[in-house]
Amino acid sequence: MIRIGEAFQGRDNRFTPIRVVLASLVILEHVFVVAMGTGSQSLVSLQGWSLGYLAVNGFFILSGFLIAGSLERRRNLFRFVVARALRLWPALIVLALAAALIIGPVATGLSSAAYWQSAQTWLFIPNIVFFADTSGGPAGVFTGNPAPGEFSASLWTLRYEVLAYAAAALLFFTRVLWRPLTISLLWIGMSVLAAYLALRHPEVPAVFIEGSRLAAAFLLGAAAYTMRDRISLTLIPLAVVLPMAWLLGEHPAAPVVWNLVLATLILWAGLAWRDQVPTGSGLPDWSYGLYIWHYPLFQLIWHWGWATSPLQLAMIGVPISTAVAALSWHFVEKPALRLSGRLFRSGAG
């Protein structure tokens, strides 16, 4: 058995395809949300936990692992901030402008004058760009849809992603806190807090419930990275944690154990047998574009009456979302990443 640290060398891994798979699971759940409404029971679940819920946890676990690696490689706060900003913001700014200037005018139930004069229309741009309230949309959009008035149900996680980046940087650059034991204890503490709040205080604001849940997932990934030279790349832990997760069912503590299942699967699938099985590391990373674009496109398709069932929505919406994600990657995200590389090669920072 090799260690995770031995297997995680360079960019030759399957984490890009895994991100696309995780984004696809979120999309699968949102097909039913857009077609049946936000209050509908999830039709794609595992022991009471929706696959979209678990996929978001998986994103944060993988993000924690990769961000920890990015911090240790760069060891420069300016470069880290610039790299993260150029990964998140360009595509998000395009989405924000498209929301208010293109999609909103054709999807609103208001008159043209009322739409353009509404503060809600213009405030939605900074809400998206600065990771604030994304629960609504530009004024009057999608009012006749099963999920009325909601432009995107995916963007809310980005604020927690940015907060996780900031917390990880704080831990790393204080140095004394960036230790495997410290990160592991923080993961355990946040996991206990997430389970406690969900079990005993479900009435607290969602920011605490979701914040602790996603922080626990992120810290698990970061802990795995800091202990990469001590942890074997194996599926053996599943023999213990998978039955535990299954037996817990819908208990609020179950996500803590599911995170261990997800971390084991993601790291093994991403790094195992790299010499024998192609990694797909050279594939374009359409995952971010899929994640931020699919929901508004699904809403627009339903608004126009192109689909009247979840199956029709999936058949029409998934190819369109994939095409838009590809355009986002090749014309927005990838050029931004090239800019980041040029800045650093030129000695900036």
Side-chain angles (χ1 to χ4, degrees):
M1 266 181 227
I2 65 170
R3 306 292 184 181
I4 290 174
E6 296 176 69
F8 186 54
Q9 300 291 331
R11 298 182 179 275
D12 188 22
N13 55 65
R14 302 184 190 90
F15 291 145
T16 293
I18 287 172
R19 280 194 292 265
V20 173
V21 170
L22 293 173
S24 300
L25 293 176
V26 175
I27 290 171
L28 180 60
E29 178 171 341
H30 285 165
V31 165
F32 295 98
V33 173
V34 170
M36 302 171 67
T38 54
S40 61
Q41 184 76 20
S42 177
L43 299 181
V44 187
S45 62
L46 193 64
Q47 285 294 90
W49 302 99
S50 75
L51 294 186
Y53 179 102
L54 295 177
V56 169
N57 281 19
F59 268 124
F60 274 76
I61 291 168
L62 182 53
S63 179
F65 184 86
L66 295 176
I67 290 300
S70 176
L71 284 165
E72 293 204 352
R73 285 193 309 276
R74 297 180 190 280
R75 296 184 176 274
N76 182 295
L77 181 59
F78 174 78
R79 293 188 176 194
F80 174 75
V81 171
V82 170
R84 292 300 92 210
L86 288 176
R87 184 65 188 99
L88 288 180
W89 258 330
L92 201 61
I93 290 171
V94 171
L95 176 66
L97 293 175
L101 304 180
I102 300 174
I103 298 176
V106 301
T108 185
L110 302 178
S111 67
S112 179
Y115 176 81
W116 293 115
Q117 292 171 10
S118 173
Q120 182 181 342
T121 297
W122 300 107
L123 286 175
F124 194 63
I125 295 176
N127 277 339
I128 289 181
V129 172
F130 297 108
F131 313 104
D133 181 12
T134 58
S135 59
V141 297
F142 306 129
T143 52
N145 285 19
E150 186 171 45
F151 181 82
S152 180
S154 303
L155 301 180
W156 68 272
T157 64
L158 297 182
R159 69 178 69 100
Y160 296 103
E161 184 84 4
V162 172
L163 288 172
Y165 294 165
L170 178 64
L171 290 172
F172 181 79
F173 288 105
T174 54
R175 299 309 303 165
V176 69
L177 297 176
W178 192 259
R179 299 286 188 274
L181 178 59
T182 306
I183 305 298
S184 299
L185 289 175
L186 287 171
W187 161 62
I188 292 170
M190 195 59 68
S191 297
V192 171
L193 176 62
Y196 173 75
L197 290 178
L199 180 63
R200 298 295 185 185
H201 297 284
E203 77 284 355
V204 302
V207 64
F208 298 109
I209 299 285
E210 300 299 347
S212 57
R213 161 205 163 190
L214 298 177
F218 187 91
L219 284 165
L220 174 57
Y225 184 85
T226 60
M227 295 190 293
R228 63 194 180 280
D229 295 325
R230 308 177 192 178
I231 303 175
S232 296
L233 187 64
T234 175
L235 292 177
I236 291 176
L238 290 182
V240 176
V241 293
L242 188 55
M244 288 175 59
W246 199 262
L247 289 172
L248 282 170
E250 299 183 30
H251 191 278
V256 175
V257 186
W258 277 116
N259 282 347
L260 292 170
V261 173
L262 289 167
T264 302
L265 288 172
I266 288 169
L267 294 175
W268 184 86
L271 300 171
W273 297 339
R274 290 185 303 127
D275 296 334
Q276 292 82 24
V277 180
T279 61
S281 58
L283 294 173
D285 188 0
W286 296 348
S287 59
Y288 185 47
L290 282 170
Y291 188 78
I292 66 175
W293 272 105
H294 75 274
Y295 198 93
L297 291 172
F298 283 4
Q299 285 279 61
L300 192 59
I301 289 166
W302 195 274
H303 171 78
W304 281 337
W306 292 0
T308 56
S309 70
L311 179 59
Q312 288 180 342
L313 184 60
M315 292 178 65
I316 297 170
V318 170
I320 292 176
S321 298
T322 303
V324 172
L327 291 173
S328 177
W329 169 253
H330 291 289
F331 293 101
V332 181
E333 299 166 53
K334 192 174 181 181
L337 293 177
R338 287 201 191 105
L339 174 60
S340 175
R342 286 198 297 270
L343 285 173
F344 297 150
R345 283 195 297 272
S346 68

